[in-house]
């Protein structure tokens, strides 16, 4: 999917304001009728064709305060590992979620290296 240029957005909005149907505008501008509808709904009222629209992202399940709590519990010994941490302090979260958030903050799992038999 490619981005529609500002000039094409302006042409679509101008044709829609001239009372053309979505299908007619789509045929003239060589886009899908759903694209015409989406562009008209998004940029028609404001005419800011270069503006990027705000799209809120999904809220994190584990915020920075929870991360600090988890790090404190692990470093103080109140939790032995991530499974213990999840069981005692974050029962509403999956273990993999906690691991991923801790990994983002630089706390990874220790992988024991095997020693070769001599």
């Amino acid at each position: 999917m490619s981005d529609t240029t500002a000039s094409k957005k302006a042409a679509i909005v101008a044709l829609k304001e001239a009372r053309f149907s979505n299908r007619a505008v789509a045929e003239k501008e060589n886009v899908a009728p759903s694209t015409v509808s989406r562009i008209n709904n998004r940029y028609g009222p404001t005419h800011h064709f270069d503006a990027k629209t705000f799209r809120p992202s999904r809220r994190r399940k584990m915020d920075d305060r929870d991360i600090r709590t988890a790090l404190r519990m692990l470093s103080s010994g109140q939790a032995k590992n991530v499974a213990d941490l999840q069981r005692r302090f974050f029962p509403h979260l999956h273990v993999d979620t906690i691991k991923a958030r801790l990994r983002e903050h630089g706390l990874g799992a220790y992988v024991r290296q095997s020693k070769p038999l001599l």
Side-chain angles (χ1 to χ4, degrees):
M1 183 178 118
S2 64
D3 289 336
T4 311
T5 63
S7 60
K8 186 169 270 204
K9 290 175 191 174
I12 289 171
V13 170
L15 289 170
K16 282 301 289 179
E17 287 176 349
R19 301 282 199 207
F20 282 91
S21 68
N22 286 350
R23 185 176 293 171
V25 174
E27 288 174 2
K28 280 188 176 197
E29 293 298 322
N30 198 22
V31 294
S34 60
T35 303
V36 173
S37 176
R38 179 178 44 82
I39 288 174
N40 189 46
N41 289 339
R42 190 175 291 172
Y43 300 103
T46 61
H47 291 269
H48 294 294
F49 304 111
D50 290 328
K52 296 287 184 187
T53 57
F54 174 72
R55 293 182 183 158
S57 61
R58 182 176 177 185
R59 191 177 149 272
R60 291 202 178 246
K61 292 180 179 180
M62 195 172 185
D63 59 5
D64 290 335
R65 184 177 181 181
D66 292 335
I67 291 294
R68 287 192 304 270
T69 302
L71 291 171
R72 187 172 53 250
M73 296 304 147
L74 286 171
S75 65
S76 69
Q78 292 183 13
K80 296 177 185 173
N81 54 26
V82 176
D84 186 33
L85 184 71
Q86 184 264 341
R87 197 173 23 258
R88 296 176 72 201
F89 299 104
F90 303 106
H92 61 284
L93 296 176
H94 194 271
V95 176
D96 292 339
T97 303
I98 299 170
K99 282 182 186 178
R101 291 290 284 151
L102 289 174
R103 198 174 306 118
E104 287 174 7
H105 288 335
L107 190 67
Y110 172 73
V111 179
R112 183 172 174 240
Q113 299 293 320
S114 62
K115 293 183 180 179
L117 295 172
L118 297 177

